[in-house]
Amino acid sequence: MANLSAARPFRVAIIGSGPAGVYAADILTKSQEVAGGDVQVSIDLFESHPAPYGLIRYGVAPDHPRIKGIMNALHKVLDRGDIRFFGNVMYGRDLTLADLRDHYDAIIFATGATKDAVLDVPGVDLDGSYGGADFVSWYDGHPDVPREWPLNAKEIAVIGNGNVALDVARVLSKHADDMLVTEIPDNVYEGLKASPVTDVHIFGRRGPAQVKFTPLELRELSHSRDVDIVLYEEDFDFDEASDTAIKTNNQVKIMVNTLTNWLAEDHDESRVPASRRLHLHFLHTPVEITGEDGKVSGIRFERNELDGTGNARGTGEFVDYPVQAVYRAVGYFGSELSEVDFDARRGVIPNDGGRVLAADGTHVPGLYATGWIKRGPVGLIGSTKGDALETIGCLLEDRLNLPVAAHPGEADIVELLESRGVEFTTWEGWNKLDAHEKHLGESYVPAPGIEVVRERVKVVDREQMVNISKK
């Protein structure tokens, strides 16, 4: 068992450098036990990408300026120097669970959720039916996705009423020149520039009072230049539960007021029509994606009504929309990790307060989870901090009864990675890549007639990222 009163530090490995992983590391270093000197810790943060920040870098739309604040906060934590960063290291490929147990007293999985939840309807596999998470990875310059995306549809359906659905729809409908102020890579700009899109439709299963996006995300839709927001009176149904939510929940009240104001403005005939339209539909459940010659040609919905409790039920009325592409943004889902039990229904690592559980329900000593891989892909940054606090509390409570690492030296893990030829990146390397991306932004030369100042252009090629980080 671990003796944390001994001279050597308590060694902790964290798998994943998104907010969940960084917050866990930060909370551990600032815990009463560590700050008071009762426990010494040595933390290594492992990331499968060459760069840190997880879904903050590869899962959030680039035209969200407030995300910079989150990234700056994560940067400050890692820049202190008391947490080591190892990028371009894949758990299950470069390091096994046995490797980690050999070098660390505790292991925290913070791998998040990066793939699309399943939408089980006929036609989902047609050409032109895409996962929203895959599209997000493309426009965010993920190093492991193709550089091209088939943007050839004039009419597009986006299924979902969460923030990701709004992000996908906004990026699809926005004019490419207006995205140049963001960090999007050149290939993304060129792809969006060539898009012939005229109409993007967002469909939700319940009513305006039950949407899952946030007021800020909703209001950002109206900031897109030359894009009209279109709503439909028949979709504005409010049952008893809706009325209660509007009266008691300020966030719901704000969103409903915003939507109803837009509905009123939509009937202002004095407005000059935009070249693109973003349609918001409620009370629609998708039942089939229709196609011709193997390609998406439309989508069929059943119209819903609210049942008094805020839930929706089908009416037996069906409606078809002609579209040439469908984006499924019904949620993220976690991915299974080798040598760790996995709840395939919920997409999480089975756990009790962050303590990883075996198939028989017992705690696996030394293994912990935090973030979306712990609780599922719900909640915002505040929830992620609460998750990390709970998990770290369990880890510190267990610390005197954990298996002791056989090779806990900080140099030991470096030697292991180097012996296997793993081209890992470091925090110093990230600072070099960070500076390189900012230089690309500063030196960007826009096309004639376009005036834009770019802070950064994201590097998307993994090999290039690694090479820059290693210089």
Side-chain angles (χ1 to χ4, degrees), residues 443-465:
S443 59
Y444 183 83
V445 180
I450 298 178
E451 294 184 8
V452 63
V453 176
R454 304 199 69 182
E455 292 185 8
R456 172 194 300 271
V457 176
K458 190 179 288 183
V459 175
V460 299
D461 182 77
R462 180 180 285 268
E463 183 177 358
Q464 184 183 11
M465 292 173 69

Side-chain angles (χ1 to χ4, degrees), residues 263-284:
L263 180 65
E265 294 171 3
D266 191 34
H267 291 80
D268 182 0
E269 296 182 357
S270 65
R271 294 168 56 248
V272 178
S275 67
R276 294 180 176 179
R277 290 159 294 280
L278 184 57
H279 307 254
L280 297 178
H281 303 269
F282 306 103
L283 300 171
H284 283 67

Side-chain angles (χ1 to χ4, degrees), residues 342-390:
F342 187 71
D343 185 337
R345 182 182 63 85
R346 297 177 56 220
V348 299
I349 295 174
N351 70 91
D352 179 15
R355 294 183 174 99
V356 171
L357 301 177
D360 62 1
T362 60
H363 174 220
V364 182
L367 299 191
Y368 301 86
T370 190
W372 280 3
I373 200 63
K374 169 188 174 184
R375 74 175 189 273
V378 293
L380 302 175
I381 294 297
S383 301
T384 302
K385 288 183 177 180
D387 259 352
L389 188 63
E390 179 184 51

